[in-house]
Amino acid sequence: MPKLNLSKNALTILEHRYLRKNAKGNLIEKPENMLRRVAKNVSIADAKYKYSKQIKKIQKKYKKEFYDIVETKEFKKLTGNDRELKKTEEEFYSLMASLDFLPNSPTLLNAGRKLQQLAACFVLPIEDDIDSIFKILHDTAKIHKTGAGTGFNFSRLRQKGDLIESAGYTSGAVSFMKIYDAATEQIKLGGTLRGANMGILNFDHPDIEEFITVKSDQNALTNFNISVAITDKFIEAVKKNKEYNLVSPRTKKPVKKESAKRIFEMISQQAWNNGDPGVIFIDRINKFNPTPELGMIESTDSCGEQPLLPYESCNLGSINLLNIIQNKKINYEKLRKTIREAVHVLDNVIDMCDYPLKENRKIVEKNRKIGLGIMGFADMLIKLGVAYDSDEGLKKAEELMKFISEESKNASTELAKTRGTFPSWNKSIYRKNMKLRNATTTTIAPTGTISIIANASSGIEPLFALSYARRTAEGKDLIYFHEELKRVLTEKNLCSDEIIEKIHKEGSLKNIEEIPEAIKEIFVIGSDIGAEWHVKMQAAFQKYVDNGISKTVTLPKDASVEDVERIFLLAHELGCKGISIYRSGSREGQVIYLRSKRDEQITLKDFVRG
């Protein structure tokens, strides 16, 4: 059984957000207990298939879902002495305790507890009537209280000033987004996790200009990421400087001509100003929709990596790439085993999840989408001695993600042999060539807090900095200094007060003369990297990812609006499904920041001791 080796920062985040507390707020769970709780709860889903006839009888007796009968005396009698179930529990525990893989936060938080809502990503549809708007707001609140995020496309709402049949004129799509934002602000899960939203508006909605510029006020829509949904035709119109029609959602008729180039420049300008909006390439997303007969995809989850059908949900999990490096090589046999077990976990999560809405369960069980991703990619490249911004880095990305894609499909195929294909398989793009248990298997998530737990870099992002602080939602500052850099500096006798102080101040090695160029090339951070390398890396992964990718192109403070325009166009050209940018220092209150001398907390003695 692997020993759970957690960093100080990991323990801090677990104690504040994940571990169970009593009514007085005192911890009543240790990290090991949390992982045991999750492993036991998720592994028990195997019984649904092993004892299918008996399980159905128990469910019929109690008139409850599978996850609600696991505490009944009949279920415990049926499964209590099952060695295979216990073996699966131990496999799942070892997988997480070794930090080789972690599921998304709602699974860690809620598995085996009262909420039992285990998925992170939801998309809800908003129709153009007041009943729908406020029903979906209510549904959103139910989802947010479980620690999950939501995405919406507001393009069905009629434009500002349009006629309302009963009387008067509508206030427009953005005004209702503000209502959703205000509701989100009031909802927390146990005082720890705040809900997050993605708001999308199509490029041809008459309110598009108000939407693009709404976050010029940095106090507006603080619980929303926003993105403009653009098509291939729109990009073509931008390149040829052509006009296009803004179309009324109510009448479906054009109401105004608009310059594609002007709107594109406005998107770029606002993204340069404060990071919003991003763009999603909706044609690209639907080109790879695995179940087109069930409908078009029009929105993503709150971080943009998971395109979903209306009411659909997906649970995610990420493999820690740091743990698959042995002797400066990728251990593909270990990776294959990790993928197989992780897919098993994620498929089981679907059966154990108490979805907030009956509509969620209906569409999820049709498609059984899962999203296996990675974290620690930047750390992995450093361990391999490969620069992030290099052709070799791109080659490693493609090689790695192709393997994960193929092996996750193999694992899903194996599950389908005993559990059956996902029910809408005969209406999917796979019906002629691949019998899968899951309509999708791969997603690259941002891995915010789970990468802190694993002590790994986030998703496929380059390092933010080599020394920095992260402010948590609880107001705690988590202090970081890159472990591998620490080792290399010590090995090269470069671990002096002066050099360490420079790294704390700069966050980068770029301007530190004492550091050899060979080390600088490998230990690059996001703002050291040319924008085109960010996009190329995202595109390299996207070739082998079913869903989308959460990635932000980090730009230096002196980047231009034209740089942003080039990034958006290059992302479209290279086949990304969406893209977002962040220019350093352009937004107040960023949660990751360099430390100044006056708030320096780490002495050289502390640094060397680790």
Side-chain angles (χ1 to χ4, degrees):
M1 194 63 58
K3 181 181 178 182
L4 185 55
N5 185 19
L6 297 170
S7 69
K8 182 179 178 181
N9 287 335
L11 287 169
T12 298
I13 207 77
L14 285 168
E15 288 170 2
H16 278 279
R17 296 192 187 180
Y18 292 86
L19 304 181
R20 292 175 61 208
K21 298 179 178 69
N22 62 19
K24 295 181 179 180
N26 298 320
L27 287 173
I28 56 173
E29 187 174 54
K30 294 180 180 179
E32 292 87 349
N33 304 137
M34 176 194 75
L35 296 182
R36 178 62 65 185
R37 164 172 57 78
V38 174
K40 183 176 182 180
N41 182 261
V42 175
S43 64
I44 205 69
D46 283 11
K48 182 178 180 181
Y49 305 99
K50 185 173 183 180
Y51 303 106
S52 58
K53 290 183 180 179
Q54 298 96 315
I55 294 294
K56 286 177 182 177
K57 287 181 180 179
I58 300 172
Q59 283 186 258
K60 186 176 181 181
K61 176 181 176 180
Y62 288 96
K63 297 179 181 178
K64 290 185 176 181
E65 297 287 349
F66 172 74
Y67 52 81
D68 276 331
I69 66 164
V70 298
E71 294 300 322
T72 63
K73 61 182 180 181
E74 292 92 340
F75 184 88
K76 289 181 177 180
K77 182 179 179 181
L78 180 67
T79 62
N81 296 317
D82 192 308
R83 292 183 179 180
E84 288 183 5
L85 291 178
K86 189 63 179 175
K87 181 182 177 184
T88 300
E89 179 187 330
E90 295 304 319
E91 284 179 358
F92 287 2
Y93 178 83
S94 295
L95 184 66
M96 294 183 290
S98 62
L99 302 178
D100 289 345
F101 165 86
L102 289 173
N104 53 212
S105 288
T107 300
L108 295 175
L109 281 161
N110 300 331
R113 297 176 69 178
K114 183 178 179 181
L115 280 175
Q116 198 58 36
Q117 198 294 103
L118 312 183
C121 307
F122 290 79
V123 160
L124 298 176
I126 301 177
E127 301 297 334
D128 187 34
D129 67 73
I130 206 73
D131 289 341
S132 172
I133 292 168
F134 283 94
K135 177 191 179 297
I136 296 300
L137 180 59
H138 172 257
D139 293 344
T140 300
K142 292 177 70 174
I143 291 169
H144 283 179
K145 78 172 188 178
T146 71
T150 45
F152 321 88
N153 190 313
F154 288 87
S155 299
R156 288 194 179 91
L157 302 189
R158 68 193 70 185
Q159 70 268 28
K160 187 175 186 177
D162 196 21
L163 183 68
I164 300 174
E165 285 81 352
S166 56
Y169 301 89
T170 181
S171 54
V174 172
S175 68
F176 288 107
M177 290 179 69
K178 291 178 178 177
I179 293 172
Y180 276 54
D181 183 67
T184 301
E185 186 69 27
Q186 304 308 316
I187 301 165
K188 279 189 174 183
L189 169 63
T192 57
L193 282 187
R194 189 181 297 278
N197 302 301
M198 171 64 78
I200 292 172
L201 202 70
N202 295 347
F203 73 99
D204 58 355
H205 191 284
D207 289 344
I208 191 62
E209 190 166 338
E210 182 186 10
F211 177 83
I212 292 168
T213 59
V214 65
K215 294 185 81 170
S216 294
D217 174 0
Q218 294 207 5
N219 295 316
L221 299 184
T222 55
N223 300 293
F224 268 91
N225 294 316
I226 65 171
S227 287
V228 179
I230 59 180
T231 62
D232 296 341
K233 286 184 177 180
F234 175 79
I235 292 290
E236 195 64 26
V238 171
K239 291 177 178 178
K240 294 181 178 179
N241 196 14
K242 288 187 173 182
E243 292 186 329
Y244 71 99
N245 290 322
L246 298 182
V247 179
S248 165
R250 179 174 61 87
T251 67
K252 307 298 187 289
K253 294 179 180 179
V255 296
K256 181 185 175 184
K257 288 280 187 182
E258 183 56 85
S259 163
K261 187 173 182 181
R262 189 180 84 87
I263 293 298
F264 182 70
E265 288 174 350
M266 187 183 296
I267 294 169
S268 302
Q269 176 69 58
Q270 286 302 125
W272 181 90
N273 285 344
N274 61 15
D276 273 309
V279 295
I280 64 167
F281 304 116
I282 200 69
D283 291 340
R284 177 81 182 179
I285 285 172
N286 277 294
K287 181 179 179 181
F288 293 94
N289 178 0
T291 56
E293 291 184 32
L294 298 186
M296 300 286 283
I297 292 172
E298 60 182 31
S299 186
T300 73
D301 72 312
S302 57
C303 290
E305 77 272 19
Q306 190 64 51
L308 293 166
L309 294 167
Y311 286 112
E312 199 169 24
S313 174
C314 187
N315 71 93
L316 314 178
S318 298
I319 293 170
N320 181 1
L321 297 180
L322 264 178
N323 287 6
I324 60 148
I325 302 300
Q326 291 182 349
N327 301 320
K328 293 194 173 184
K329 290 184 179 179
I330 297 173
N331 183 339
Y332 277 105
E333 281 307 308
K334 180 176 181 180
L335 181 57
R336 179 182 285 109
K337 181 176 183 292
T338 304
I339 293 166
R340 187 189 74 242
E341 292 178 357
V343 169
H344 187 180
V345 169
L346 295 176
D347 191 64
N348 278 21
V349 164
I350 295 171
D351 294 315
M352 296 306 297
C353 184
D354 183 3
Y355 293 97
L357 312 172
K358 64 181 185 300
E359 296 96 334
N360 297 144
R361 176 164 293 284
K362 184 178 179 181
I363 187 67
V364 168
E365 290 187 344
K366 279 185 179 179
N367 295 334
R368 300 191 69 88
K369 288 179 180 176
I370 60 173
L372 178 62
I374 58 175
M375 54 186 163
F377 176 68
D379 290 334
M380 184 198 84
L381 289 182
I382 288 169
K383 282 275 192 181
L384 295 175
V386 175
Y388 191 100
D389 51 342
S390 68
D391 290 335
E392 182 65 16
L394 299 179
K395 183 180 176 182
K396 285 293 180 188
E398 286 199 28
E399 175 187 292
L400 177 79
M401 201 63 222
K402 182 180 181 182
F403 184 87
I404 294 172
S405 176
E406 290 174 349
E407 290 301 322
S408 65
K409 294 292 187 298
N410 290 341
S412 186
T413 300
E414 286 301 308
L415 285 175
K417 290 178 181 177
T418 55
R419 301 183 175 189
T421 58
F422 60 95
S424 64
W425 175 81
N426 61 347
K427 295 181 179 179
S428 78
I429 61 175
Y430 299 112
R431 61 190 171 207
K432 293 182 180 179
N433 59 8
M434 198 180 298
K435 291 189 174 182
L436 293 173
R437 176 66 175 164
N438 315 95
T440 66
T441 60
T442 49
T443 303
I444 304 290
T447 71
T449 49
I450 67 167
S451 63
I452 297 175
I453 297 169
N455 200 23
S457 56
S458 298
I460 65 165
E461 298 284 5
L463 304 179
F464 169 76
L466 295 161
S467 174
Y468 64 93
R470 179 195 292 262
R471 180 154 293 163
T472 70
E474 300 80 22
K476 297 284 289 184
D477 283 344
L478 307 181
I479 307 300
Y480 290 83
F481 197 102
H482 198 272
E483 291 290 326
E484 184 65 9
L485 177 61
K486 181 194 300 187
R487 187 191 67 77
V488 170
L489 292 176
T490 303
E491 185 181 89
K492 302 291 184 183
N493 294 317
L494 293 169
C495 201
S496 68
D497 284 325
E498 184 181 0
I499 289 177
I500 299 308
E501 186 177 338
K502 287 181 179 180
I503 296 171
H504 287 330
K505 183 179 179 181
E506 298 282 337
S508 165
L509 304 182
K510 186 177 180 180
N511 298 318
I512 302 177
E513 293 180 0
E514 298 92 329
I515 304 291
E517 288 300 318
I519 295 177
K520 289 181 180 180
E521 287 177 6
I522 303 304
F523 288 92
V524 293
I525 67 170
S527 56
D528 292 339
I529 295 169
E532 70 279 2
W533 286 106
H534 284 271
V535 181
K536 286 178 181 178
M537 186 60 78
Q538 181 172 334
F541 275 100
Q542 188 64 77
K543 289 180 183 179
Y544 300 104
V545 173
D546 294 335
N547 296 305
I549 293 172
S550 177
K551 167 126 184 45
T552 301
V553 178
T554 306
L555 298 177
K557 193 170 185 177
D558 61 357
S560 67
V561 176
E562 289 73 26
D563 290 333
V564 178
E565 292 177 8
R566 285 191 288 271
I567 290 164
F568 287 159
L569 291 174
L570 181 61
H572 179 264
E573 178 186 333
L574 295 182
C576 297
K577 291 183 177 179
I579 196 83
S580 62
I581 70 101
Y582 179 70
R583 184 175 61 87
S584 295
S586 64
R587 186 184 299 167
E588 293 179 5
Q590 64 186 56
V591 297
I592 305 178
Y593 55 93
L594 300 181
R595 291 172 288 150
S596 65
K597 292 180 183 178
R598 68 174 179 269
D599 64 13
E600 175 58 17
Q601 299 296 313
I602 293 182
T603 65
L604 180 63
K605 182 181 176 183
D606 294 326
F607 161 70
V608 173
R609 189 174 64 241

